[in-house]
Amino acid sequence: MSFTATKFPPSPLPLTSRSNDKPLSFSFHHSKPNHSSSFLGSTRRLTPLATPHARRTPSPSPPSAVLLQQASNLLVTKEEGLELYEDMILGRFFEDKCAEMYYRGKMFGFVHLYNGQEAVSTGFIRLLKKEDSVVSTYRDHVHALSKGVPAREVMSELFGKATGCCRGQGGSMHMFSKEHNLLGGFAFIGEGIPVATGAAFTSKYRREVLNESDCDHVTLAFFGDGTCNNGQFFECLNMAALWKLPIVFVVENNLWAIGMSHLRATSDPQIWKKGPAFGMPGVHVDGMDVLKVREVAKEAIQRARRGEGPTLVECETYRFRGHSLADPDELRDPVEKEHYSGRDPITALKKYLFENSLANEQELKSIEKKIDEILEDAVEFADKSPLPHRSQLLENVFADPKGFGIGPDGRYRCEDPKFTEGTAHV
Amino acid sequence: MATLCQGLGVVIPLSSSNSSNFRLPSRRSISAWKDGIFVVRSDARVSQVLKTGGPNHELLIPNAVATKGGSSVASTSKPGHELLLFEALREGLEEEMERDPCVCVMGEDVGHYGGSYKVTKGLATKFGDLRVLDTPIAENSFTGMGIGAAMTGLRPVVEGMNMGFLLLAFNQISNNCGMLHYTSGGQFKIPIVIRGPGGVGRQLGAEHSQRLESYFQSIPGIQMVACSTPYNAKGLMKAAIRSENPVILFEHVLLYNLKERIPDEEYVLSLEEAEMVRPGEHVTILTYSRMRYHVMQAAKTLVNKGYDPEVIDIRSLKPFDLYTIGNSVKKTHRVLIVEECMRTGGIGASLTAAITENFHDYLDAPIVCLSSQDVPTPYAGTLEEWTVVQPAQIVTAVEQLCQ
């Protein structure tokens, strides 16, 4: 299937339904190596009345960030560019380190790596304030890192140590951080979307009922293409649009749900179209290009902050590794993989920074070195951290441990200091 | 005597102070009972309220007379005020919403409609549409939304229009409500209350007559309570809202119109304690929700036959109050569990296991557990009657147990 820009007429996004598109062809392999005409992202603004400006310029070389043709402003300043680069490198190196540790037997279970999708996480989350919330799926390591959870804590959580961000009780798929407002980490797909809707509801409630008029916290919900066929997705799109909740639904469409191609699972594969069906803008963006993602993210987040309601952003991206470290990844066509690895977001950003003289090789190398050190420290910290003690077993089952009830002796079970170790009688 | 009992309305010893003042009505008045439905006031006086036709069901019909306040009773001489169970729930909810602005309600038809059982009537006008939120019909998602709101600082009360609808929310209740405090390492608490009416009603059909307490009981991290009187309904509602844990409050469709006098002063009950309904010596009868009334009706028969049953309303379905239950077992040495759950894997099954584990030495006889039949509740009135435990069965069981 080819997502050519010709399918998206350059007009402001109407909130009403559109006439039928041409059915997309099912053969991915026909896409040509010249990608200047494809994946040019959204040519429409989020505010329907603004006129779109042409964003495309025929680029002579394979995909890279597109320069704006209007004012000579670049999309990012040097500091911002380096910050984005550092964040993406952190994500990429961390995930590679995870794979290394997994094969060394330091972590177990299901580990889902984010290689290739860093542009989405960095593009969106680096725009948030600390009070804004992020809800993710099982592919959440990099979302946690982008949101600000220290690499040490994430690594020790993966090792199952007591110093992990969830005390070792969550694991790879359940990263939480109250301090950084990372609301998880969910194993079942679609499960986090209602939670994100609830966090956005709290933000609106604070503003309107508790009269905290400066509360403009935004929630981002990340999920994949497979989730977009799930009932919770649609139910929450409805509720968020109905009550104009400050939430952005970010679809990381990496075209595959384990071994199920998006095209084989979805009647209308263009996910962004499902937004207008519920009364919110639906935007499609090239998720391999962090600057494009960032531009779209800025508008979507600002829209939510202003109280105008939710947005559905479909980021077309790709995961370079399998679904998880246990996935042999035999179904995906090597041609497809090669195509996308040629569009590595980190390479693309690097190219942009060089071409616009925002950074030189040395600065980027020093960033990479810094990240290497951070990760080494993280692994060492995780290695040295203690495993959880048995007394931790039942400690966090209840926020109020009176919930364990009254024992035969008349005292609350939690009054017994050893009860958290668990007994047969609990 | 048994035939007389069959035609009786519900008899409940209700007392606002949770004491055990159970007085049998005099013999003379029993004969008048054949015709009507009755309410026992908190001082254990019995009065006829409504004459009904129809099959001899033992409980109040949902549209019983709802006289609030002292219309027929001289209120100056008695403390407290009289109200129906759904009003008690509303009072508890309203008081908590006034006390804490973070308490909000979400559910289908809770706002403008006032709740399908009128528990939230008038609250939307008072507190606004955002605090009493009418949701679309998406149980899984709005329960999840309530969980997300709870994680970020609110204290939502999620209403399932019928408990059975919460089956659709099982994903969120099991995975998120119960687990997130744990998987986040204690970082996020989820002070949510999930409530709704369940149980076998009056010919409501199989899907509207479900008892979900058995399905939810294994979920770690949640507490479950069942209310049975206006007094404990209000107290448990308030306790559940104030609790930092996620609590599922089970109400019963047929109990919403029970009338009782409750205190004017504020009171909050304990979520983990059971209620001693009637102290006794011969046998411990453990029950909850609607079956409490069947048990009390059977208790009258039993007393007339010379037995002295001790009746405990366990109230807390998870965790069990093993102290109250244990003390009772140690006294009577015989246990009968009467519940409305299905036989297989119900609350009674868990309770039997818990008692056997903890108090085996004190038992003189095997624990008898009377539960509903393992059958989807049929529509036909007669069949429906036979799925649920009836007072006559309770009487027989006690007689057999005490041999």
Side-chain angles (χ1 to χ4, degrees), chain B residues 255-290:
Chain B
L255 299 185
Y256 276 127
N257 287 301
L258 289 178
K259 186 183 280 196
E260 187 182 5
R261 180 170 286 277
I262 64 170
D264 288 326
E265 308 84 41
E266 199 185 20
Y267 66 94
V268 179
L269 295 177
S270 166
L271 288 175
E272 297 87 24
E273 283 175 16
E275 185 180 321
M276 176 70 70
V277 182
R278 179 191 191 281
E281 297 287 327
H282 289 165
V283 60
T284 299
I285 307 184
L286 302 172
T287 181
Y288 65 91
S289 194
R290 181 195 172 198

Side-chain angles (χ1 to χ4, degrees), chain B residues 368-379:
Chain B
V368 177
C369 181
L370 298 179
S371 328
S372 297
Q373 305 287 321
D374 281 326
V375 67
T377 312
Y379 166 74

